[in-house]
Amino acid sequence: MHIRRSAEEIAANRARYEEHQKKGLEFAPKSLPGKSQLPAADIAAESVVHREVIPGGWYWWTSVKKNEVLRVSLDHGFTTVALVAWNAADRTERLNLPDTVKLQWTTGLSKGRVIFSDMGRVMFSIVEDTSGAHDCLVGGSTLASVSAKYDVPYARNTRDNLVIAATKLGLDKRDIPAALSLFAPVRVDADGQFFWNADLLNGGDYIELRAEMDMQVAFSNAPHPLDPNPVYASNPVTVTRIAATEPAADDLCRTATAEAVRGFENNAFAAL
């Protein structure tokens, strides 16, 4: 049974939250590094484990080893790419965007930030990023949303793509966490409404995600629900898997916040 809280209780809870937030932000970096440079640096041929071009509207999945890097790059024009991930050793552990936002006090995922699992461990570190235009709030498209928006009998969408990818991994739709939408410049206005801020995007954007554990990762290349383009137009996207190198002890992503430090401590404890 729901018990309605009094105004005094609500105010007290908010005060405790704001005090906790203040303490967390005091440890946070005064400023994260700026956006990564464009164009992207060339990757040495011997460092390329695999390169995949995902056609517009399609999906792909891959396994990735700890300390390998996934570069997702818009080499063929703009598109939005949704991403989900599971711990390869225990696929009940999966990417968790609510914890990622809550623990770092921000929805702005950019270079220097990390992405947490639902077990409090770090799954990805964002080691390079040219836009900071990634959505962890709205989620991906569905058959209903694309059918309502585009004049096509059937258009591939994020939900269906991820269900197919999960099935091929031996998982179920119930195993799919909330998806991170890369290159989706969603922001919140003064009235609390979501809007699409295309000015955050550049030509040829890319992001590099360093894996902090062995994982299985699924991608969907389909339009975002808030993309204002009235035409269904997802361009191909390139995903490059780059060979692992050991991060430095003072790596920014590992030391930027108290929450990140604890997350990596959890990673180390799980490896014992």
Side-chain angles (χ1 to χ4, degrees), residues 40-41 43 69-72 125-129 206-210 242:
I43 304 170
V69 171
L70 293 172
R71 177 187 286 182
V72 185
S125 293
I126 304 176
V127 294
E128 298 290 350
D129 176 42
Y206 69 94
I207 186 172
E208 291 187 359
L209 303 168
R210 185 178 64 220
I242 304 170

Side-chain angles (χ1 to χ4, degrees), residues 249-264:
D250 61 349
D251 179 82
L252 173 66
C253 294
R254 293 171 176 257
T255 58
T257 67
E259 290 76 18
V261 171
R262 286 194 290 269
F264 280 105

Side-chain angles (χ1 to χ4, degrees), residues 48-64 68-73 81-86 124 156-158 160-169 215-222 237-242:
V48 176
V49 177
H50 180 78
R51 180 173 281 123
E52 187 78 15
V53 177
I54 309 173
W58 285 84
Y59 66 92
W60 181 62
W61 69 268
T62 188
S63 295
V64 60
E68 290 183 343
V69 171
L70 293 172
R71 177 187 286 182
V72 185
S73 51
V81 185
L83 173 155
V84 295
W86 301 267
F124 290 109
R156 299 187 70 95
N157 59 85
T158 304
D160 287 351
N161 280 347
L162 293 180
V163 168
I164 295 170
T167 301
K168 291 189 174 183
L169 288 167
M215 285 182 286
Q216 292 177 320
V217 186
F219 299 89
S220 170
N221 181 8
V237 63
T238 304
V239 182
T240 306
R241 184 176 161 198
I242 304 170

Side-chain angles (χ1 to χ4, degrees), residues 3 9 16 20 38 50 71 118 125 160-161 189 198 234 242:
I3 300 176
E9 289 174 314
R16 284 194 294 270
H20 185 51
L38 280 166
H50 180 78
R71 177 187 286 182
D118 55 4
S125 293
D160 287 351
N161 280 347
D189 65 19
S234 289
I242 304 170

Side-chain angles (χ1 to χ4, degrees), residues 34-232:
K35 297 177 182 179
S36 301
Q37 295 296 310
L38 280 166
D42 293 335
I43 304 170
E46 61 271 19
S47 296
V48 176
V49 177
H50 180 78
R51 180 173 281 123
E52 187 78 15
V53 177
I54 309 173
W58 285 84
Y59 66 92
W60 181 62
W61 69 268
T62 188
S63 295
V64 60
K65 297 295 186 182
K66 180 181 176 182
N67 290 334
E68 290 183 343
V69 171
L70 293 172
R71 177 187 286 182
V72 185
S73 51
L74 303 186
D75 301 329
H76 309 278
F78 173 73
T79 196
T80 292
V81 185
L83 173 155
V84 295
W86 301 267
N87 181 342
D90 179 3
R91 294 188 297 178
T92 62
E93 181 176 11
R94 62 201 71 173
L95 178 145
N96 188 297
L97 294 180
D99 282 356
T100 296
V101 169
K102 178 177 65 177
L103 292 173
Q104 296 177 105
W105 307 103
T106 182
T107 60
L109 299 183
S110 58
K111 184 176 179 179
R113 295 296 185 184
V114 298
I115 301 171
F116 285 90
S117 78
D118 55 4
M119 299 298 289
R121 291 190 278 263
V122 179
M123 299 193 85
F124 290 109
S125 293
I126 304 176
V127 294
E128 298 290 350
D129 176 42
T130 58
S131 71
H134 313 297
D135 168 42
C136 53
L137 297 175
V138 175
S141 58
T142 64
L143 179 58
S145 70
V146 296
S147 298
K149 185 172 183 179
Y150 304 107
D151 186 21
V152 290
Y154 173 78
R156 299 187 70 95
N157 59 85
T158 304
R159 176 177 170 78
D160 287 351
N161 280 347
L162 293 180
V163 168
I164 295 170
T167 301
K168 291 189 174 183
L169 288 167
L171 298 167
D172 186 85
K173 62 183 179 182
R174 294 172 295 182
D175 298 307
I176 302 172
L180 172 63
S181 296
L182 304 176
F183 315 115
V186 175
R187 291 297 182 264
V188 181
D189 65 19
D191 296 322
Q193 300 296 311
F194 294 122
F195 71 100
W196 186 268
N197 186 0
D199 291 341
L200 298 176
L201 297 167
N202 311 284
D205 279 313
Y206 69 94
I207 186 172
E208 291 187 359
L209 303 168
R210 185 178 64 220
E212 302 296 352
M213 61 177 70
D214 293 354
M215 285 182 286
Q216 292 177 320
V217 186
F219 299 89
S220 170
N221 181 8
H224 189 276
L226 296 186
D227 187 338
N229 190 345
V231 178
Y232 187 100

